[in-house]
Amino acid sequence: MRYTLAVDIGASSGRLILGSVQLEKLELKEIHRFDNKMIKKGQHYCWDIDMIFSEIKKGIKKCNDIGITPESIGIDTWAVDFVLLDEKGELLTDAVAYRDDRTDGMMEEVFQKIMKERLYLETGIQFQKFNTIYQLYSLKKTQPEVFAQAKTFLMIPDYLHYLLSGIAVNEYTNATSTQLLNAFTKKWDKTILDILEINKEIFQEIKKPNTILGNLRPELVEEFGFDMKVILPATHDTGSAVISVPAFNDTIYISSGTWSLIGVENRFPICVTKALDYNFTNEGGIDYRYRFLKNIMGLWMIQEVRRNYNNQYSFAKFVELAKEAQGFSSIVNVNDNRFLKPDNMVEEIQNYCLETGQQVPTTPGEIAKCVYDSLVDSYVTAINEIEEIFEKTFPSINIIGGGCQNEMLNQLLAEASQKDVYAGPIEATAIGNIVSQFIALGEIDSLSEARQMIKQSFEIKAYKAAEDVIK
């Protein structure tokens, strides 16, 4: 039996999952899970990269406990964040988190040097103030002495792969999220880098998903008691997740978690004015496919609401409470930057409703109902924009990831969109990671074969528009 090990790290947790193919079906076995969160280091919110790597090693060692030796390992994480290494290959910067405020005002300064339209037409990436391009520009402006010492730029999964293998590369799907990669040449855009005076030499060779990077460092082989191949999956977690959408015939997908990524898979980038106006992105996917999508704030809002209520309500309980608040109907713009990292999400939602002349939610149920209704409203808007750009109607929506377990949200979306909604698979990102490794190893022949296998292996629930849904 051949096993691969997927390391899937999100903004709130990480997990290590073993994958195998048995009787033409994918089998998953979670062996380790850990919490992940931002920490304050000096003036910035950062990721605890040392803790993350320590937890990855703990998970690898658990393979020995269950008597399984995986053939390979691959890591995916969120996008845009990075570290810089010095000439000795050691950390020069902290892994500053995208929710940190160091990029405030940086996007506007970049637009003074390069036209917004030109930046979009060349990279195809939507404008978000935390994109890597603005993080790098901020670092160059505020810490030029540190920036000048940098020899190597690695995004978070690139760095973790480097710690495992000793090999430094930039993986394609995550590199596209930087807003520094040309959407058509699939190479670092030297013109943009020159205009912003960012050293081109710090960027590494771009490698595609399914690339066998190498083997573990010798010291790690000794520590674990076995060797593995280090294989690049789609290291952008959404890139891995979208692999798991079982069918792509006229389907809009939503990768639902801390963020909601809503879009379609396409064979070429769509860098047109209408896509720019609606702020859609063209992120790279497996086999040089493009994920034409929009980032929506997602379940981060309800996660923060739960934290504000001191975690006394489970996510399932919030759904129950929201059902009891059927008469409440205020809507907030979930993509407003005020919800990116407010001091108190509940108060921010209440203030928004007050400022816009709407009913102010006061109970946990009303707050939750407001979040769910607002997410559905933003989904439907994005769906309408996609259909306008493609000049066609998509009859179905496939929700993947942990957020697809929210049955109330799924049913509300089916009713609001008047489309069939399919939910699953849940562990979409880990599945996509595992599939990439098996393709590299020759266990699975192609993406189409993988998607058929996924469809056969995991439960997909259907939701239809009905008159009796909760409103």
Side-chain angles (χ1 to χ4, degrees):
M1 184 77 67
R2 304 177 82 180
Y3 289 92
T4 62
L5 184 58
V7 183
D8 173 29
I9 306 173
S12 58
S13 67
R15 60 206 65 83
L16 279 77
I17 297 178
L18 283 166
S20 62
V21 178
Q22 301 182 38
L23 301 176
E24 299 184 350
K25 288 188 176 183
L26 283 171
E27 298 287 339
L28 307 182
K29 181 179 181 64
E30 182 179 301
I31 60 170
H32 185 56
R33 182 177 286 262
F34 60 92
D35 291 334
N36 186 34
K37 63 180 180 180
M38 294 175 289
I39 58 173
K40 196 72 179 289
K41 297 183 73 173
Q43 299 300 311
H44 299 292
Y45 285 97
C46 303
W47 303 107
D48 190 343
I49 203 76
D50 292 334
M51 179 278 294
I52 290 173
F53 190 61
S54 175
E55 292 291 341
I56 291 173
K57 292 200 293 183
K58 285 181 186 177
I60 293 172
K61 291 174 182 177
K62 287 184 178 180
C63 292
N64 283 323
D65 299 338
I66 58 176
I68 292 176
T69 301
E71 190 168 340
S72 64
I73 185 171
I75 302 171
D76 65 76
T77 77
W78 61 95
V80 306
D81 291 342
F82 64 90
V83 294
L84 298 179
L85 308 185
D86 62 19
E87 59 185 6
K88 296 180 181 179
E90 296 178 353
L91 278 178
L92 186 63
T93 64
D94 290 319
V96 178
Y98 59 87
R99 293 191 192 275
D100 187 76
D101 63 5
R102 70 171 172 171
T103 55
D104 288 355
M106 293 300 105
M107 189 159 60
E108 292 73 21
E109 290 193 27
V110 167
F111 293 161
Q112 292 177 12
K113 293 180 175 291
I114 181 169
M115 289 181 60
K116 178 178 180 180
E117 291 76 9
R118 178 181 176 183
L119 193 57
Y120 187 80
L121 292 175
E122 293 191 13
T123 68
I125 298 300
Q126 76 179 114
F127 294 97
Q128 299 183 110
K129 72 170 193 173
F130 49 72
N131 286 353
T132 314
I133 184 174
Y134 312 118
Q135 293 196 46
L136 278 169
Y137 190 80
S138 172
L139 182 62
K140 184 175 78 75
K141 179 179 178 180
T142 58
Q143 296 180 277
E145 70 289 347
V146 172
F147 195 80
Q149 297 176 52
K151 298 299 181 184
T152 305
F153 165 91
L154 295 175
M155 304 193 79
I156 300 301
D158 296 333
Y159 179 63
L160 295 171
H161 283 130
Y162 169 73
L163 292 179
L164 287 174
S165 68
I167 300 171
V169 301
N170 295 137
E171 187 273 328
Y172 169 69
T173 65
N174 223 332
T176 62
S177 75
T178 64
Q179 211 166 25
L180 292 168
L181 201 76
N182 189 285
F184 301 94
T185 67
K186 303 176 181 66
K187 298 181 183 298
W188 297 112
D189 196 306
K190 295 181 179 180
T191 301
I192 294 174
L193 294 171
D194 284 341
I195 291 172
L196 299 180
E197 298 179 323
I198 296 174
N199 181 10
K200 298 185 290 292
E201 302 304 317
I202 66 175
F203 298 94
Q204 307 305 297
E205 182 180 3
I206 295 173
K207 294 288 188 179
K208 296 193 302 182
N210 312 341
T211 296
I212 298 176
L213 197 57
N215 286 70
L216 295 177
R217 292 176 185 255
E219 61 269 27
L220 292 178
V221 175
E222 183 176 353
E223 182 176 351
F224 301 145
F226 60 88
D227 197 2
M228 292 184 288
K229 293 180 176 66
V230 179
I231 297 179
L232 298 180
T235 66
H236 187 330
D237 52 9
T238 311
S240 276
V242 169
I243 292 171
S244 299
V245 176
F248 266 96
N249 295 329
D250 292 333
T251 294
I252 291 174
Y253 62 78
I254 302 176
S255 180
S256 179
T258 300
W259 288 88
S260 292
L261 299 310
I262 181 168
V264 296
E265 187 176 78
N266 210 41
R267 287 291 190 173
F268 52 87
I270 303 176
C271 304
V272 298
T273 302
K274 184 65 71 174
L276 166 62
D277 292 342
Y278 289 151
N279 207 21
F280 275 82
T281 200
N282 294 270
E283 294 174 348
I286 193 169
D287 292 348
Y288 284 144
R289 296 164 187 250
Y290 289 87
R291 291 173 287 116
F292 183 75
L293 59 83
K294 174 176 285 191
N295 284 34
I296 292 172
M297 195 68 74
L299 295 174
W300 156 258
M301 294 182 70
I302 201 69
Q303 291 167 1
E304 283 293 282
V305 166
R306 181 171 183 259
R307 185 180 66 84
N308 292 158
Y309 284 113
N310 298 316
N311 298 320
Q312 62 180 298
Y313 304 110
S314 67
F315 294 122
K317 184 62 176 179
F318 273 121
V319 170
E320 291 180 18
L321 294 173
K323 290 178 180 178
E324 296 171 3
Q326 294 184 38
F328 189 85
S329 60
S330 294
I331 299 290
V332 302
N333 176 9
V334 298
N335 295 314
D336 193 307
N337 281 334
R338 68 194 293 168
F339 300 120
L340 189 61
K341 198 182 185 306
D343 292 333
N344 186 296
M345 184 66 76
V346 170
E347 292 179 1
E348 202 68 45
I349 291 170
Q350 291 172 329
N351 290 337
Y352 184 101
C353 291
L354 181 63
E355 293 164 14
T356 53
Q358 300 182 83
Q359 182 182 357
V360 177
T362 56
T363 68
E366 290 176 347
I367 292 288
K369 181 68 161 49
C370 181
V371 170
Y372 298 144
D373 284 347
S374 299
L375 284 174
V376 168
D377 183 72
S378 68
Y379 294 163
V380 171
T381 297
I383 289 166
N384 291 338
E385 291 168 349
I386 290 169
E387 293 183 334
E388 180 182 343
I389 291 169
F390 279 81
E391 298 181 347
K392 62 181 290 185
T393 298
F394 292 84
S396 64
I397 302 164
N398 198 141
I399 306 177
I400 55 176
C404 78
Q405 298 173 92
N406 189 320
E407 296 193 353
M408 176 184 178
L409 195 59
N410 299 342
Q411 186 62 64
L412 286 171
L413 179 58
E415 180 68 13
S417 66
Q418 289 297 295
K419 298 180 187 295
D420 295 335
V421 172
Y422 299 95
I426 298 168
E427 289 287 359
T429 305
I431 293 168
N433 184 322
I434 288 165
V435 161
S436 290
Q437 294 184 60
F438 274 134
I439 291 174
L441 294 170
E443 182 75 17
I444 297 175
D445 289 336
S446 65
L447 178 60
S448 59
E449 179 184 323
R451 282 179 168 155
Q452 184 60 36
M453 188 179 292
I454 291 166
K455 189 174 183 179
Q456 295 171 353
S457 303
F458 302 99
E459 180 184 13
I460 310 296
K461 293 184 178 181
Y463 298 82
K464 307 285 185 178
E467 295 181 357
D468 60 346
V469 296
I470 300 165
K471 296 182 179 179

